[in-house]
Amino acid sequence: MDTQKFKILIVDDNPKNLQVLGNLLEKKSYNVEYALSGQEALEWIHSEQFDLILLDIMMPEMDGYEVCKRIREEDQYRDIPIIFLTAKTDKESIVKGFELNAQDYVSKPFDSAELLARINTHLELKDSRDKLKDVNQWLEHKVDEKTKALQESNKKLEDTLTELQNLDKMKSYFLHMASTEIRTPLTGITGTLHVLKNQEVSFALKNLIDLLEKSVARLESFANKAILTTELSTKTYEFKPEEIDLAEMVSFAALELNEFLSQRKVKIIEHFEEIKITGDKDLIFRALLFLIRNAAEHTRENFPVELTLKQDDRGVVFSVLDYGKGFSRDTMENIFSPYRFNEEDFNDNNELSIYVVKLIMDYHQGTLNVYNQEKAGACIELIFNN
């Protein structure tokens, strides 16, 4: 142990004892200071930093016990090792010294080797405590640094999240506004086209009107789906549950699409049980329209679309089966994602219908299943838990 870095204070009213102890410690390269009284010892510790104190008990005016007590009363000196030097070896005196938080005692006349061993032990302990304290302070500093950095990162994340939420609200708002602004003039265009269709026009102009009418219908369909998607995904749709005769509503949806089904030369085959559910009538009707129209568009000409309504152990199940080519593997992997458009999907906006129907079923706490049939095309199931 490097003894030169330690400073020891010897307190004894006997100059001869101070000289003997001082010579012993200086030979071991300790830094030594001396005090002839308790008061002088207190003055020393207030002006210098000591690593250990050798303190005589029997001194006039202020004995070693009182000196030890006053030292321990001040927080900054509570960890300085104190070794009592005493001729009093009775149990009560020793116990009193330890009660005052002294670390050790050595009986007079002392053995030099024993005294040096005890001094060395307590200095090593103090040195270890000081190093541990330094490590703890370093760790606390690092923890404070990391905590501050984490708080700053959290603040940035919160600011970023707030900004993203605001952007999402703005996106939803503009999407809703854009869809509304598209739909409003489309109503006028649709009315105008209807008037033109009833006029005597050339064949070429009639074909042009038909093409324009289809484009307007397509755009209007997309605008309606965009508005509904925004309301459902942002939870702003006003949900109005009521009792619904599901078989009757399916029939109404098929009737609504009668002209389209005739154009496609698609027949509807119904397998219905009389079942009632609780749900939002407008949402359920839209979901039925989307699914039946989608199935009719994908089924082969002169093939039917089969609609089945039944009750089984899963709940109330409505299924739509077409006789088309079914969904591709890539489409099936991301069937419920609104971001899965490829070139083929982009040319068929009815693919968005699946995502809208999924949102509608989520509102009803139901399930949407999509799969391909071996001898037919695709089958889509709506499963209601009520």
Side-chain angles (χ1 to χ4, degrees), residues 345-360:
D345 292 330
F346 188 76
N347 291 322
D348 185 0
N349 72 65
N350 279 300
E351 297 299 329
L352 182 61
S353 301
I354 304 297
Y355 176 66
V356 178
V357 175
K358 176 67 168 62
L359 293 177
I360 291 174

Side-chain angles (χ1 to χ4, degrees), residues 83-273:
I83 299 177
F84 277 128
L85 301 174
T86 178
K88 302 175 69 173
T89 57
D90 58 283
K91 181 178 179 181
E92 290 76 11
S93 298
I94 295 171
V95 170
K96 184 177 180 180
F98 285 123
E99 288 176 346
L100 291 170
N101 292 322
Q103 271 66 37
D104 208 344
Y105 76 95
V106 176
S107 302
K108 292 181 180 180
F110 55 80
D111 179 78
S112 298
E114 179 187 0
L115 177 61
L116 289 173
R118 297 200 180 197
I119 289 173
N120 185 71
T121 297
H122 289 293
L123 286 174
E124 284 184 341
L125 289 173
K126 182 182 182 301
D127 189 48
S128 297
R129 285 196 303 269
D130 289 344
K131 288 178 180 177
L132 182 60
K133 187 183 296 183
D134 290 341
V135 170
N136 286 336
Q137 289 176 348
W138 178 82
L139 288 173
E140 288 175 2
H141 177 68
K142 288 298 180 183
V143 169
D144 289 342
E145 284 184 347
K146 294 296 183 182
T147 301
K148 185 177 179 180
L150 185 60
Q151 289 172 342
E152 291 176 354
S153 298
N154 286 339
K155 181 64 169 59
K156 290 179 181 178
L157 284 174
E158 289 174 2
D159 292 343
T160 302
L161 179 60
T162 301
E163 185 177 353
L164 287 174
Q165 289 172 338
N166 291 335
L167 287 173
D168 188 59
K169 290 179 182 178
M170 187 179 297
K171 175 210 69 177
S172 299
Y173 171 75
F174 279 112
L175 178 58
H176 190 278
M177 288 297 296
S179 300
T180 303
E181 289 300 315
I182 291 172
R183 190 170 59 174
T184 301
L186 285 178
T187 303
I189 296 172
T190 303
T192 303
L193 289 173
H194 182 70
V195 173
L196 290 175
K197 283 183 68 176
N198 295 322
Q199 301 296 318
E200 291 292 335
V201 294
S202 66
F203 181 77
L205 184 57
K206 186 178 184 304
N207 286 338
L208 187 61
I209 292 172
D210 289 341
L211 178 61
L212 185 58
E213 189 176 35
K214 289 180 181 178
S215 299
V216 168
R218 178 184 177 86
L219 189 56
E220 185 177 27
S221 173
F222 182 80
N224 289 334
K225 289 175 185 176
I227 292 173
L228 183 58
T229 300
T230 301
E231 291 178 344
L232 294 176
S233 60
T234 57
K235 307 297 182 183
T236 57
Y237 180 84
E238 186 179 354
F239 189 71
K240 298 177 181 177
E242 58 182 297
E243 188 177 72
I244 300 171
D245 186 328
L246 194 54
E248 183 180 69
M249 182 163 285
V250 173
S251 297
F252 282 151
L255 186 61
E256 177 85 8
L257 295 169
N258 187 55
E259 184 179 351
F260 174 76
L261 294 172
S262 297
Q263 292 173 354
R264 294 286 301 173
K265 297 180 181 180
V266 172
K267 291 183 178 180
I268 297 294
I269 299 177
E270 298 180 350
H271 309 282
F272 287 174
E273 295 178 11

